[in-house]
Amino acid sequence: MSKKKTMIIPISGMSCAACAANAEKAIRSLSGVLEAGVNIATHKATVTYNPALTSPEEIAGAVKRAGYTAVITESDTHETNDERADLKFHLIISATLSAVIMAGSMLTIPVLSNPGLLLILSTVVQFWPGAMFYKAALSALKHFSSNMNTLVAVGTSAAYFYSAFEVLFPNTLSHHGAHPHLYFETSAVIITFVLMGRFLELTARGRTSEAIKKLINLQALTASVIRDGVEQQIAIDKVTVGDILLVRPGERIPVDGEIMDGSSAVDESMLTGESLPVDKAVGDKTYSGTVNTFGAFIMRALKTGQQSTLARIIKLIEEAQGSKAPIQRLADKAAAVFVPSVIGIAALTFVLWFAFSNDGTKAMMSAIAVLIIACPCALGLATPTAIMVAAGVGAQRGILIRNAEALENLHRVNAIAFDKTGTITEGKPAVTGIFVDSDISEDEALKIAASGEHYSEHPIARAIVSEALKRGIELFPFDTFSSITGGGITGCINDGKDTVLIGGEKLISSSKVDLSGFRETLNSVYDEAKTAVILAINNKAVALFSIADTVKDTSKAAITELKHYGIVPVMLTGDNETVAQLIAKETGIERVYSGLYPEDKLRVIKELKDSGMFTAMVGDGINDAPALTEAHVGIAMGTGTGIAVESADITLIKGDLLSVYEAIKLSHLTIKTIKQNLFWAFLYNIIGIPVAAGVLTLFGGPTLNPMLASLAMSLSSVSVVTNSLRLRNST
């Protein structure tokens, strides 16, 4: 069986939700297409297909047959800019001529008021800037469908052709001897307002994609590669895995890699949101798009091109912005029947007005107002624009959302299961306490212990060394050094005058060292399920170090914030009950499951779901992958394993539990925005269509001028996009 592929295709020529539905239907009709979604906000199609049965070219062909244009390209930035420039040009032409037509129609100006000139000018507007509406409407008609362009084309054509007929064949339609009323300004101004609305919408829509644009701008264009001992500047797409690169101060790191020589501090704020640079030395990983702040270093390329961290982040955002949230199905269903219904209402409006008033002109203008004001754009944009902005905001905060469904589901979560190690805790041992006798200070004891442990790669030894370095303590070489089987070291210092022994209680006791002075401290450390490391000098115990996996600084605050949302926190761990309860008590978690294997974590998630709780799982390890997949929403710590990240719906780059809270909050704000958008979109049409049809006249009110209807229609779409953009300022 051929492996399925997913691609994102930019589509131009769409103007409303009905257009997106038509394009999506055309793509889905291909036998090799497994899944397809067309997003009217991004003007992109996300297509999953079987390459053995269909191809990108065939998919593009299906889109073209539906009346739109799909271009298989790496980037659609230039296409979007060209579309905006073309729209701006037509808008200027239409607005200029419409102003002249308005002046000639409403003012008595000898030259401008000439009906023949008005006909010529309005013809230019109708069939040059307005040609796009006819092309799209006719294309939809070929496929027995309709869209917003159909409404605009039919409405403006009615006003234009009625007026043109009156100019070319006077007194044919109007009563004999009556001065004919022309509606050239109506058709021209409607086209201008609709074009203006699209231009404003395209401009606003461009701002919803700023997150991706900013990330793309973070990519380095060239890299300094050392080949055969010679440094050379090459294009970033020419860098291959294994290449040796030189990165100077102030430069962006071009690809993912590993430092081979040198050290520096790297600004990784684009990945983590943290402003403080991260110290990097030999063996540390580096990521594309981050900035080297001061020191030069040599690195080896490990991931290039589309495999780099920055490229994968951009792809994830694009996929999330292009996907559909379940809440959008309501708008899609409404849009599918909207345009035909509006045409029917407009026809009924004309018939009723003509029947009861015997005024064909008023009947025609009311029908045109109905056609123009009833635009499904606002309805179609309500959900995807909010999703687009939210995905971008999340990325800027280190929250990568795989799809829109995950973003929507987050607001339903009322229980979150957390893996302990590496999720709630740091996932690595650290010094939690130093206890010394009266003969030595903490820093002196730490200096000796760390200088000895510096020779070991054991995690506990690294914890002691790390604590010393954190305190700025300078290490020194032992005169002699040897490792002891069973977990310890011994050596000599001070020109061989003093013998040092470092290890656990068993090793120290077997060496006949008296531990009576530290017995109470040892028992206390053991009660807290921590590891004890003892420093003995000349066969006397002088210091004790307690070692444990520590809780992350933000874990307790994150758990507290989540509880405020009514979410029940649950801890899952393979560790023993004592350790689990201590960590749970420190962070405020009441429900704890300890001693678990991967299958046990999966079982707990199923139990939570079966009890009616909408459950999220947060983890970082391979053993968390089954539970991440089983949960309603899987959230992986970006500091964890690749398998965990691949199994999750959401990835937290910072590996910080406060990001879980931020993701939940972002989901709530996004759903709130979508509901606001849908409410106003539906309300606009519920009120607008009856007003356009002339309901107000039943109460002595005026009929709605089609020009005002076109302005209202344009502003409705812009208001929905603008409301979605407010998410960028969410806190």
Side-chain angles (χ1 to χ4, degrees), residues 344-567:
I345 293 171
L348 181 62
T349 298
F350 179 85
V351 170
L352 291 176
W353 267 106
F354 190 78
F356 289 103
S357 69
N358 198 30
D359 188 337
T361 300
K362 184 171 285 189
M364 179 186 72
M365 299 309 288
S366 295
I368 291 173
V370 170
L371 290 170
I372 298 303
I373 202 168
C375 170
C377 289
L379 195 60
L381 290 168
T383 299
T385 51
I387 295 295
M388 280 182 68
V389 177
V393 168
Q396 291 172 342
R397 297 179 183 178
I399 303 166
L400 297 185
I401 302 163
R402 190 176 294 274
N403 54 57
E405 184 172 1
L407 179 61
E408 180 180 338
N409 283 340
L410 263 181
H411 93 285
R412 301 172 58 194
V413 167
N414 51 26
I416 300 182
F418 297 94
D419 168 56
K420 177 184 75 69
T421 307
T423 302
I424 295 175
T425 68
E426 294 289 354
K428 56 185 179 182
V431 175
T432 60
I434 302 176
F435 309 90
V436 297
D437 70 6
S438 57
D439 295 334
I440 195 170
S441 68
E442 277 192 21
D443 282 359
E444 188 178 354
L446 184 58
K447 181 175 183 177
I448 295 171
S451 295
E453 297 284 25
H454 179 66
Y455 297 99
S456 173
E457 290 298 323
H458 193 282
I460 290 178
R462 303 315 301 166
I464 293 174
V465 173
S466 177
E467 179 66 20
L469 295 177
K470 188 165 64 176
R471 295 191 183 195
I473 294 175
E474 187 175 343
L475 307 185
F476 64 92
F478 272 36
D479 299 328
T480 61
F481 168 85
S482 62
S483 177
I484 301 174
T485 303
I489 63 168
T490 185
C492 293
I493 60 175
N494 297 329
D495 296 326
K497 296 177 183 178
D498 297 315
T499 302
V500 175
L501 180 65
I502 307 172
E505 180 187 4
K506 184 176 180 181
L507 173 67
I508 301 298
S509 296
S510 66
S511 299
K512 309 301 182 184
V513 175
D514 182 14
L515 292 175
S516 58
F518 286 93
R519 179 53 55 192
E520 188 176 336
T521 304
L522 270 171
N523 292 336
S524 176
V525 169
Y526 293 151
D527 287 343
E528 295 178 359
K530 295 179 180 179
T531 299
V533 174
I534 300 161
L535 169 66
I537 300 178
N538 297 327
N539 234 33
K540 178 187 177 184
V542 296
L544 184 149
F545 303 89
S546 64
I547 313 290
D549 183 10
T550 57
V551 173
K552 292 179 180 178
D553 293 338
T554 56
S555 291
K556 183 176 181 180
I559 298 298
T560 301
E561 293 291 354
L562 289 170
K563 284 182 175 181
H564 289 160
Y565 263 116
I567 294 173

Side-chain angles (χ1 to χ4, degrees), residues 569-588:
V570 180
M571 181 192 293
L572 309 181
T573 179
D575 215 333
N576 63 65
E577 177 71 13
T578 302
V579 173
Q581 290 296 340
L582 285 168
I583 298 296
K585 182 179 180 181
E586 185 176 347
T587 55

